[in-house]
Amino acid sequence: MKSTWKLALGLASAALASTAVSKVAHAEDLTLCWAAWDPANALVELSKDFTKETGIGMKFEFVPWTNYADRFLNELNSHGKLCDLIIGDSQWIGGAAENGHYVKLNDFFDKEKISMDDFVPATVVGYSEWPKNTPNYWALPAMGDVVGWTYRKDWFSRPELKKEFKEKYGWDLAPPTTFDQLKQIAEFFQKRQIDGKTVYGASIYTERGSEGITMGAMDVLYSYGFQYENPKKPYEMEGFVNSEKSVKGLEFYKALYDCCTPPGASNSYMGEGVDAFKSGQVAMHMNFAFTWPGLQKDENVGGDKIGYFVNPKGPDGDQFAQLGGQGISVVSYSDKQESALKYIKWFANKDVQAKWWSLGGYSCLNSVVKDPKFPSSQPYAQAFLDSMAVVKDFWAEPSYAPLLQASQKRFHDYVVAGQGSAKDALDGLVKDWTQVFQDDGKM
């Protein structure tokens, strides 16, 4: 779920914005719309094989994350014909399905023997289904992603720091398995001098303008027991969104922000987090897994210096992580749906999916991620696999935008601005979300 990301310089190639890879447009050329970022580079390379096999040329319209949602949602809402294929955000699926923007893929999947059982279950629910948990498919899982953590493995392994940490906290300095442990590590590194430089505990999401602080806060709240609604009564949120467990989770997130983040971290999201980690400013770094390949290759903090871990457990042992990523859909307004469906069929092939992973994309196909060789295929592969096993996602309702705007404001006002209490913020969120669903006629 990445609607209006603000990426660090270098994560996305500026040349990708509004790129037409084919120099000459042919009648059968397909245009695929996505965001301008590193995985898009990998998809351009991968798609050359599709053109070789089918003779169908590929063009790409890639837009920076800061403009991605506005650009392509406007295109869909205006019934534009620019995009034949679109890799749309996970939270668009409800609106795209109900408003007729995407081609429903059930009959096509049945005809081509493409089974959703062959994909990681959470990605099917998150990227393909609407309504959720029903066999109605509007996309093929395309780019798996999830919030996880990187850490300075080289700092954690220093004998003098390990000794001091063990004496202070009574356990060995290692990647945390609980949020309490994570906070202890963050406190330990906060304002510590390492190699003559002042460092800090952790980079976390606090960004207000798009979705950042919601992604970060929910990453903690899920493991504390937060639920969006009564499992037995849809849209009943009182006592679930604002439960005692949810309140404790939001209090923890604020405490982590107050104690252990670097200076100027009041509006931080993916790009700022990458910058903080790459500059050697923080010991731990919350971010989506798509950033990991680039960090692994970084000369200053990558290689043997970096490690990865799954989002920790909460006080009662619950463990979840915020889902990111997207599915690929055929746009219903396209005049080239038959060719677009050929691309979907090709992309679903296990050999193509294996190459997708090798090029830097994140495959959602079970045959790729459950391959015995997968955990050792990249240093971050096991952390990705473990993280995808525990994902949850934000609302995917057609009215997700006002739902997101409400959480952004409530969380930022409390966590960063220090206004009111966690209970006040969550009570207010119940009120806001109730109004949205009442306006939609769902309550």
Side-chain angles (χ1 to χ4, degrees):
M1 169 176 181
K2 308 177 182 72
S3 58
T4 52
W5 288 353
K6 189 176 180 182
L7 297 182
L9 183 64
L11 277 179
S13 170
L16 278 173
S18 300
T19 296
V21 171
S22 298
K23 292 183 178 180
V24 180
H26 299 88
E28 282 302 313
D29 283 356
L30 294 174
T31 298
L32 187 154
C33 297
W34 200 12
W37 59 329
D38 283 350
N41 289 319
L43 189 64
V44 171
E45 184 64 27
L46 182 71
S47 297
K48 293 176 181 177
D49 292 344
F50 172 74
T51 298
K52 289 178 183 177
E53 292 179 21
T54 65
I56 300 172
M58 293 297 297
K59 297 187 294 181
F60 300 89
E61 187 75 13
F62 294 152
V63 174
W65 280 111
T66 47
N67 307 112
Y68 166 74
D70 288 343
R71 175 68 179 87
F72 291 131
L73 288 177
N74 286 338
E75 179 70 19
L76 293 173
N77 289 330
S78 65
H79 298 186
K81 294 181 179 294
L82 169 66
C83 309
D84 301 302
L85 293 153
I86 191 166
I87 301 183
D89 243 337
S90 59
Q91 74 270 27
W92 299 1
I93 199 77
E98 293 192 8
N99 293 317
H101 299 328
Y102 292 170
V103 172
K104 190 173 183 181
L105 297 174
N106 287 58
D107 290 344
F108 171 72
F109 286 165
D110 290 343
K111 176 185 175 183
E112 300 296 341
K113 295 180 172 55
I114 297 172
S115 173
M116 289 295 96
D117 291 340
D118 292 338
F119 291 83
V120 176
T123 68
V124 176
V125 176
Y127 309 152
S128 302
E129 290 181 352
W130 188 261
K132 295 299 181 185
N133 300 304
T134 70
N136 295 281
Y137 307 119
W138 306 88
L140 183 87
M143 174 69 189
D145 207 357
V146 60
V147 175
W149 294 79
T150 59
Y151 72 100
R152 287 299 299 267
K153 190 175 181 180
D154 53 337
W155 295 356
F156 278 47
S157 64
R158 294 192 178 190
E160 71 277 12
L161 295 182
K162 292 173 69 73
K163 180 176 183 294
E164 182 182 345
F165 185 88
K166 181 68 174 288
E167 291 173 350
K168 184 172 184 178
Y169 294 105
W171 58 282
D172 292 328
L173 179 59
T177 58
T178 69
F179 275 113
D180 283 344
Q181 289 180 348
L182 185 145
K183 187 168 182 285
Q184 288 177 5
I185 294 171
E187 289 172 337
F188 178 75
F189 280 103
Q190 184 72 359
K191 296 184 179 180
R192 178 173 291 274
Q193 292 289 314
I194 294 184
D195 297 333
K197 180 179 179 180
T198 302
V199 303
Y200 301 88
S203 171
I204 63 174
Y205 292 162
T206 58
E207 182 262 359
R208 169 68 177 85
S210 62
E211 63 178 16
I213 196 166
T214 298
M215 297 294 94
M218 295 312 306
D219 206 45
V220 171
L221 287 170
Y222 293 142
S223 294
Y224 268 76
F226 172 99
Q227 295 185 71
Y228 283 102
E229 57 193 342
N230 184 343
K232 299 179 180 179
K233 188 175 181 182
Y235 307 113
E236 181 180 272
M237 295 169 285
E238 182 66 40
F240 295 89
V241 168
N242 56 350
S243 67
E244 290 185 11
K245 291 181 178 180
S246 299
V247 169
K248 289 180 179 178
L250 191 55
E251 288 174 343
F252 175 89
Y253 200 71
K254 177 171 176 53
L256 186 61
Y257 169 73
D258 288 341
C259 80
C260 305
T261 54
S266 62
N267 194 40
S268 178
Y269 199 17
M270 293 171 293
E272 292 80 8
V274 166
D275 287 344
F277 193 82
K278 289 177 71 172
S279 65
Q281 199 175 19
V282 293
M284 296 179 294
H285 162 224
M286 163 192 280
N287 222 331
F288 282 99
F290 87 89
T291 63
W292 294 353
L295 291 172
Q296 181 65 37
K297 296 175 184 177
D298 188 85
E299 293 182 0
N300 296 320
V301 300
D304 293 338
K305 297 178 181 179
I306 190 173
Y308 309 87
F309 62 92
V310 66
N311 205 44
K313 297 177 182 177
D316 296 331
D318 292 332
Q319 186 175 28
F320 298 100
Q322 174 60 51
L323 181 69
Q326 304 92 28
I328 183 169
S329 300
V330 176
V331 178
S332 64
Y333 315 115
S334 167
D335 295 327
K336 304 172 185 175
Q337 292 182 21
E338 183 176 348
S339 293
L341 289 169
K342 288 181 181 178
Y343 187 92
I344 296 286
K345 179 183 178 181
W346 170 83
F347 189 73
N349 181 274
K350 65 179 182 179
D351 292 333
V352 174
Q353 285 291 305
K355 187 172 181 179
W356 176 226
W357 167 250
S358 71
L359 290 173
Y362 280 80
S363 175
C364 304
L365 192 67
N366 285 327
S367 66
V368 175
V369 300
K370 290 187 177 181
D371 187 311
K373 297 179 181 178
F374 183 84
S376 60
S377 63
Q378 295 289 352
Y380 45 81
Q382 187 65 60
F384 171 71
L385 197 60
D386 293 343
S387 297
M388 289 301 295
V390 295
V391 292
K392 283 193 175 186
D393 200 10
F394 189 76
W395 295 107
E397 295 281 337
S399 293
Y400 87 89
L403 296 168
L404 180 61
Q405 290 165 359
S407 61
Q408 283 290 102
K409 183 180 188 306
R410 295 292 183 180
F411 290 156
H412 199 273
D413 284 353
Y414 168 65
V415 173
V416 176
Q419 297 177 12
S421 66
K423 183 69 161 58
D424 294 335
L426 293 170
D427 286 347
L429 195 54
V430 170
K431 181 180 177 181
D432 296 339
W433 285 353
T434 296
Q435 185 63 56
V436 172
F437 291 127
Q438 287 176 343
D439 292 344
D440 286 348
K442 294 185 175 181
M443 291 184 70

